[in-house]
Amino acid sequence: MKLCVYLWRKSFCLFLFLGLSYFLLTSCANRHFEVVAEGPPGNVPHYVELFAGTQVATLHFPPGPYSFYAVDDLGCYYRAPRKILEHTGGNSVFHDGGIYVSNQSPKKLRAYVYMAGGITQFGNLTRAHYEFRD
């Protein structure tokens, strides 16, 4: 009897561990991120022109044309014309990054940078003076 209870508990714990592991691994998926060398799909603008530099937290995004870079299931990424400047304490750090445009709400622009080996989206650039261009 004790052996059956022990085996049941052990198998339940294993099942629970595998289930949680699967859930965590699939929930952190990259939404099919793909760098597109051929250019944007037909209904997507080639550029987002930022007319003035803008700041999100300690990151400074330069003015200029942000060119189409990549897509995922939820939107498009536009690369900055120069590196993104981050002011940290007494020094400055440069990052690759740009603007993310969601498919569901294209007027809501978000900032992104490459940090810690991946893309980090944050901030809201909707109030920035910008224009979509082809």
Side-chain angles (χ1 to χ4, degrees):
M1 181 70 173
K2 287 184 179 183
L3 180 61
C4 290
V5 171
Y6 172 75
L7 290 176
W8 183 84
R9 284 184 182 168
K10 190 169 185 132
S11 63
F12 177 75
C13 289
L14 180 62
F15 175 75
L16 185 63
F17 173 75
L18 291 175
L20 286 173
S21 298
Y22 175 77
F23 174 74
L24 289 174
L25 289 175
T26 57
S27 66
C28 296
N30 64 0
R31 301 184 310 211
H32 300 104
F33 179 83
E34 178 183 3
V35 176
V36 183
E38 301 86 37
N43 60 345
V44 175
H46 285 74
Y47 301 97
V48 175
E49 178 88 23
L50 200 62
F51 293 111
T54 188
Q55 181 178 345
V56 177
T58 59
L59 295 163
H60 298 269
F61 290 81
Y66 285 64
S67 57
F68 176 82
Y69 171 61
V71 296
D72 65 14
D73 293 340
L74 302 177
C76 300
Y77 294 83
Y78 291 86
R79 182 175 284 187
R82 294 182 301 281
K83 300 268 187 183
I84 309 300
L85 177 65
E86 178 183 16
H87 292 293
T88 58
N91 60 354
S92 298
V93 179
F94 292 95
H95 299 282
D96 288 321
I99 297 173
Y100 177 77
V101 180
S102 169
N103 291 338
Q104 291 181 335
S105 55
K107 292 183 179 182
K108 183 180 177 187
L109 304 182
R110 293 186 53 84
Y112 79 89
V113 292
Y114 284 96
M115 285 184 172
I119 292 177
T120 303
Q121 289 184 16
F122 59 91
N124 186 351
L125 297 176
T126 305
R127 292 187 179 181
H129 187 57
Y130 69 92
E131 181 177 281
F132 290 106
R133 297 185 183 231
D134 279 328

